[in-house]
Amino acid sequence: MALLEIRNIAKSYPDGTRALRGVSFDVHQGEFVAIMGPSGSGKSTLLHVLAFLDHQTNGIYRFAGKTVNEYTANEITKLRNQKMGFVFQSFNLLPRTDVLENVTLPLLYAGIRPRERERMALEAIELVGLTHRIHHDVSKLSGGEKQRVAIARALVNKPDVIFADEPTGNLDSASGRVVVDFLQKLNEQHGHTVILITHERSTAEHAERIIHVRDGRIEKDERVQNRRHAADGFHK
């Protein structure tokens, strides 16, 4: 059974805009899938539907075997907190707080006890190579470091799937490469399912599969023949 099953998903808005027009595909546990397309193609709308941030107008979406309508509002909240991790272009970090506080936040919402929260957060921070920045104010970090904090926060609950929406969009090329390398390592070495939204072919080629979206439709669904390799280590 696929982790995500998408069947004829359509999304329209009151002004008549049709963002998605009958999209269908599956994503299995442990896959790294890039959804690629130009601005306005519908790729971010699709991610919002998949991550329960928005609801489709028509079609069927199943996550872990159940449609969105089979989940209660409380169950969806728990799913998004415990089964899904999110990495956004704008980082979405809490200002005037340190790295540890930001990474701990999902665990606080999940009701994890303080000592266990800190242990899990420190483990995630170590995984992204930022142990030396634990008590640094996030506003004083570089863009690449901020995105790695966001990835640690996305990982801390050990989610089933990580959604990354243009995670390199606000980064220079070197920092962007570090971030996408890390997402690739999470997939290859730790088995995380990753769904990456991007408009850049070079970024998409870190995935094992690319779904091309244009005008709200799937244009092509291809396996990556010459997958880019993740570099070793992290830039400090």
Side-chain angles (χ1 to χ4, degrees):
M1 182 179 70
L3 178 61
L4 290 82
E5 300 175 67
I6 299 94
R7 296 290 179 273
N8 296 313
I9 291 295
K11 176 65 180 180
S12 299
Y13 293 98
D15 65 0
T17 301
R18 298 174 65 191
L20 298 173
R21 303 167 183 250
V23 173
S24 299
F25 61 95
D26 290 344
V27 176
H28 290 84
Q29 185 73 46
E31 276 197 281
F32 185 170
V33 179
I35 299 175
M36 183 181 172
S39 179
S41 62
K43 60 186 186 298
S44 289
T45 299
L46 177 57
L47 180 139
H48 288 168
V49 170
L50 301 183
F52 295 149
L53 297 169
D54 201 352
H55 195 282
Q56 71 267 22
T57 308
N58 292 295
I60 298 172
Y61 170 40
R62 291 186 181 90
F63 181 86
K66 293 172 63 175
T67 68
V68 63
N69 292 330
E70 292 178 280
Y71 290 109
T72 67
N74 285 339
E75 286 173 335
I76 287 176
T77 298
K78 287 182 179 180
L79 273 176
R80 293 188 63 246
N81 180 254
Q82 299 173 13
K83 300 295 184 181
M84 300 176 176
F86 300 91
V87 183
F88 297 102
Q89 179 176 340
S90 57
F91 316 131
N92 289 0
L93 300 178
L94 292 174
R96 297 181 296 279
T97 56
D98 65 19
V99 170
L100 183 61
E101 289 175 290
N102 270 275
V103 176
T104 301
L105 188 63
L107 303 173
L108 181 64
Y109 291 150
I112 306 296
R113 293 181 177 181
R115 183 173 295 181
E116 182 68 1
R117 284 203 303 264
E118 183 169 336
R119 184 195 67 78
M120 293 173 69
L122 291 174
E123 183 179 285
I125 292 166
E126 181 178 5
L127 196 60
V128 300
L130 286 177
T131 302
H132 62 300
R133 294 281 193 261
I134 286 174
H135 297 298
H136 276 60
D137 186 318
V138 294
S139 65
K140 298 178 181 177
L141 300 178
S142 69
E145 288 173 330
K146 289 177 182 176
Q147 197 59 290
R148 283 155 60 189
V149 175
I151 293 173
R153 185 183 57 193
L155 287 174
V156 73
N157 265 332
K158 297 179 170 61
D160 289 343
V161 58
I162 296 171
F163 294 103
D165 191 0
E166 297 278 10
T168 64
N170 283 336
L171 305 177
D172 59 52
S173 58
S175 297
R177 175 65 188 267
V178 170
V179 166
V180 76
D181 278 358
F182 183 71
L183 290 172
Q184 185 175 351
K185 288 178 182 179
L186 288 176
N187 170 252
E188 293 177 343
Q189 299 175 15
H190 300 275
H192 287 280
T193 306
V194 179
I195 298 179
L196 168 71
I197 301 296
T198 184
H199 64 278
E200 298 176 336
R201 179 79 194 190
S202 60
T203 298
E205 286 176 347
H206 285 267
E208 57 191 341
R209 175 184 169 199
I210 303 175
I211 296 173
H212 298 260
V213 178
R214 182 178 293 275
D215 298 328
R217 295 185 175 91
I218 293 181
E219 192 174 52
K220 182 167 59 173
D221 187 343
E222 63 172 331
R223 309 300 296 186
V224 179
Q225 299 301 317
N226 297 303
R227 190 178 183 188
R228 290 176 181 262
H229 297 291
D232 293 326
F234 291 103
H235 300 300
K236 300 299 186 183

